[in-house]
Amino acid sequence: MKKITFLLLFCLVYTVNAQQQLRIKKGVIVDSLAINDSIFESFALYLPKSFTTEKKWPIVYVFDMQGRGKEALSMFVESAENQGYVLAASNSVRDSLPLSENVLKSGRLFSTVSSIFPINERRRYTAGFGSGARFASINAILYKEIKGVISCGASIANIELLDVKKPMHFVGVVGREDYNYPEMIRGKKILNLKKFPNQLIVFDGGHKRPGPYHIEKAMKYLTFSAMINKVMEKDSVFINKFYEEELNEIDMLNKQRKPLLAGHLLAESIKIFSFNTSIDSLKNYRKYLRKSKLFKAYNANQNKFLLKESFLLDEYNYYIEEDLQTYNYNNLGWWNYQMEELNKFEKSNEFFQKQMAVRLKGYLGALLEDNIESTKFNEIVDEEALRLLYMLKTIIKPKVFSSYLEVISLSSKVEDFGTALFYLEELLKQGYTNKTELYSVKHTALLRISPEFNVLVTKYLNQARYDVIQQ
């Protein structure tokens, strides 16, 4: 009897159809649940430990464009447990698939989960990180049943598609060193103009998955919004506690001499709490903060470097497009100079200049990856452009050894052995030691039996596979 009671507390059994039953354990991520019998698609699911069938639950559908449902949910589990949200993530969406196909897969996921579990139809949200976040916002735009988005490290995929008649709630989460930070700041201004409910949670950090604290805060914003819009009953205990937490964080940021983060959080707090309580104290705090010399100095400096960053971004975008169209290898020196400058900026004592440098380097890395992927997946692959892109990548990310190997391979394929040998030595200078991999690079059969190749291998790795015969 005790064993049966234990199982009922921690597991739920659902009938999906006449042939299939699911045994779902609460408090853990359950992976590879089938969408239905006729389609080979699956999803991961998380039910909070407090889950029961006696009430309807809010849900966050989390997207990862590599179809890693379990991994995608892991970022949200702790917050979902604390805030009482169900989580689901597709294992079948892929960035290699057409957008229309991925959108249809999302729709089938929404329908399946809602048909099995007691989901609050007015509290369905999407979320993701990076490309997954952009896809989450596309789903929120296209599916009217999705009421909001938690977008980590990415702005809305297409602001032009927003429908003022369907004002979904957008909560962005981004680090100040994330290359998408300026875009998310601009996106927030547009959302404000369009009168879309939104918050932007900003933290110190780069393009990385935010921790549970910031994810949980995003969920609290969505919960608070549901109370404001009378989708759920107001919980005064929750509201007062959240208000105190926001005030404490503002005070902490101010004491840590982070007036811009404190000012940003003040603005968000004034916006959301004005629906529920007197915010005179918050408004007075903001006036005091904005008049401080530290705030004014930091704000001026940040704006100066954000402006400089926008000019550099325009320059980078122009030259990478121009260089690829003309196969301009002569411009590699210019790119090398740009990286030297960014490395100097990153070591600067000027805080906002350092942040700008980190963002720009991150942007260049992402820009190259996007161009490499799009070039590789073209029906006819432009291998000369691909070689140039990998050359650029050795400049932007000198410790990514695979880029050098790609240049060596593509150069050897067209018998440009001088270039292949140059990048071989640059690779070895960076500390590369995988001799087995080096001797198996595609298209290098002639190169690797040459004396020049084996001299370099002997110089840096002590012993080559083939002896060098002295003439």
Side-chain angles (χ1 to χ4, degrees):
M1 184 67 181
K2 288 182 179 179
K3 187 178 289 187
I4 293 172
T5 304
F6 179 83
L7 284 173
L8 288 173
L9 282 172
F10 291 96
C11 295
L12 296 169
V13 179
Y14 288 100
T15 300
V16 180
N17 52 46
Q19 289 77 37
Q20 184 181 9
Q21 282 192 331
L22 297 179
R23 184 176 295 276
I24 308 296
K25 188 174 182 181
K26 297 186 285 185
V28 296
I29 297 174
V30 182
D31 201 9
S32 302
L33 300 172
I35 293 291
N36 61 47
D37 289 341
S38 60
I39 299 176
F40 189 68
E41 293 173 10
S42 68
F43 65 99
L45 179 78
Y46 181 82
L47 300 177
K49 293 174 185 175
S50 58
F51 183 88
T52 72
T53 58
E54 296 172 2
K55 59 174 268 191
K56 292 193 173 184
W57 292 77
I59 185 168
V60 177
Y61 296 98
V62 187
F63 289 98
D64 174 271
M65 299 315 291
Q66 302 300 320
R68 300 169 296 193
K70 185 175 182 178
E71 183 177 326
L73 292 192
S74 63
M75 182 172 75
F76 288 79
V77 163
E78 184 177 334
S79 307
E81 182 63 40
N82 292 339
Q83 294 303 311
Y85 279 75
V86 171
L87 302 174
S90 173
N91 289 320
S92 304
V93 295
R94 296 280 192 283
D95 55 11
S96 57
L97 296 174
L99 176 61
S100 58
E101 188 173 339
N102 281 327
V103 170
L104 289 173
K105 288 176 184 288
S106 301
R108 288 192 284 270
L109 172 65
F110 302 155
S111 297
T112 297
V113 174
S114 291
S115 68
I116 301 172
F117 302 100
I119 300 301
N120 187 328
E121 299 301 312
R122 299 178 68 188
R123 297 197 63 202
R124 294 198 279 182
Y125 311 104
T126 56
F129 171 73
S131 59
R134 291 190 186 277
F135 184 62
S137 68
I138 288 173
N139 278 292
I141 291 169
L142 296 179
Y143 286 103
K144 63 181 181 180
E145 59 264 38
I146 302 301
K147 303 303 181 183
V149 183
I150 298 175
S151 182
C152 305
S155 190
I156 292 177
N158 194 330
I159 287 178
E160 288 73 24
L161 292 178
L162 290 174
D163 184 356
V164 292
K165 296 179 181 178
K166 182 185 172 294
M168 59 92 172
H169 195 127
F170 183 86
V171 182
V173 187
V174 66
R176 289 200 287 181
E177 291 182 350
D178 190 324
Y179 57 86
N180 283 320
Y181 172 65
E183 182 187 3
M184 293 188 77
I185 292 291
R186 290 192 296 271
K188 178 175 178 58
K189 291 177 181 177
I190 295 172
L191 289 171
N192 287 340
L193 287 172
K194 289 180 176 285
K195 301 190 184 305
F196 271 69
N198 71 91
Q199 276 78 42
L200 183 61
I201 299 168
V202 180
F203 61 91
D204 277 328
H207 188 66
K208 63 180 182 180
R209 297 173 184 270
Y213 177 81
H214 297 104
I215 297 293
E216 188 164 346
K217 178 182 281 197
M219 288 182 174
K220 287 178 182 177
Y221 279 137
L222 293 177
T223 299
F224 197 97
S225 178
M227 293 179 188
I228 291 169
N229 293 310
K230 299 180 180 179
V231 174
M232 61 182 294
E233 290 185 10
K234 282 190 178 181
D235 182 341
S236 58
V237 175
F238 169 87
I239 293 170
N240 292 333
K241 184 180 179 184
F242 190 24
Y243 182 79
E244 288 300 319
E245 288 170 352
E246 296 289 87
L247 278 180
N248 290 337
E249 186 176 352
I250 291 165
D251 282 334
M252 180 189 70
L253 290 169
N254 202 26
K255 288 174 182 176
Q256 292 175 344
R257 295 176 65 81
K258 296 179 179 180
L260 298 187
L261 285 179
H264 175 83
L265 184 53
L266 261 170
E268 296 292 2
S269 298
I270 288 170
K271 182 167 62 175
I272 194 165
F273 288 109
S274 62
F275 290 93
N276 183 73
T277 185
S278 172
I279 54 169
D280 289 344
S281 58
L282 290 176
K283 288 181 176 179
N284 291 333
Y285 197 157
R286 184 172 63 173
K287 286 179 184 177
Y288 159 76
L289 187 66
R290 287 182 172 181
K291 287 180 180 178
S292 72
K293 290 183 179 179
L294 189 63
F295 180 91
K296 289 179 179 178
Y298 278 20
N299 194 46
N301 269 351
Q302 177 174 257
N303 289 336
K304 177 178 75 174
F305 287 110
L306 283 173
L307 182 62
K308 181 175 182 178
E309 184 174 346
S310 69
F311 291 142
L312 287 171
L313 285 175
D314 288 342
E315 197 170 22
Y316 295 160
N317 283 308
Y318 172 80
Y319 278 114
I320 199 162
E321 185 176 346
E322 183 79 8
D323 291 351
L324 288 175
Q325 286 178 352
T326 60
Y327 308 121
N328 189 5
Y329 295 100
N330 292 328
N331 209 31
L332 289 171
W334 182 84
W335 285 105
N336 194 57
Y337 172 76
Q338 297 305 312
M339 283 307 297
E340 288 174 355
E341 288 296 292
L342 290 181
N343 288 333
K344 288 179 188 174
F345 294 159
E346 194 173 0
K347 295 174 184 176
S348 168
N349 292 326
E350 172 53 68
F351 179 73
F352 296 105
Q353 186 177 50
K354 184 182 295 186
Q355 284 191 330
M356 177 194 73
V358 174
R359 288 195 298 267
L360 286 171
K361 288 170 77 172
Y363 179 83
L364 281 174
L367 183 63
L368 283 178
E369 285 300 326
D370 286 347
N371 276 276
I372 287 170
E373 288 303 305
S374 62
T375 303
K376 285 167 68 175
F377 285 111
N378 280 340
E379 190 174 342
I380 299 175
V381 177
D382 185 344
E383 292 190 341
E384 190 168 357
L386 194 59
R387 181 165 70 141
L388 178 56
L389 284 166
Y390 281 120
M391 288 178 178
L392 285 169
K393 194 172 176 181
T394 66
I395 296 171
I396 307 302
K397 294 187 174 183
K399 290 297 182 181
V400 178
F401 297 149
S402 59
S403 304
Y404 300 87
L405 296 174
E406 292 287 353
V407 175
I408 293 167
S409 175
L410 291 167
S411 298
S412 298
K413 188 175 181 179
V414 294
E415 298 187 0
D416 183 0
F417 297 126
T419 298
L421 288 168
F422 174 82
Y423 279 89
L424 170 62
E425 184 159 20
E426 292 301 307
L427 170 65
L428 295 170
K429 284 178 181 177
Q430 291 295 334
Y432 180 82
T433 59
N434 192 338
K435 199 184 298 184
T436 301
E437 183 182 42
L438 189 59
Y439 276 93
S440 61
V441 175
K442 285 197 302 184
H443 311 304
T444 61
L446 288 176
L447 177 70
R448 58 182 181 256
I449 61 173
S450 69
E452 294 85 355
F453 182 94
N454 289 283
V455 164
L456 286 173
V457 174
T458 301
K459 178 181 176 180
Y460 290 94
L461 301 180
N462 298 324
Q463 186 178 0
R465 180 174 293 181
Y466 305 107
D467 293 332
V468 179
I469 298 174
Q470 300 292 338
Q471 297 292 330

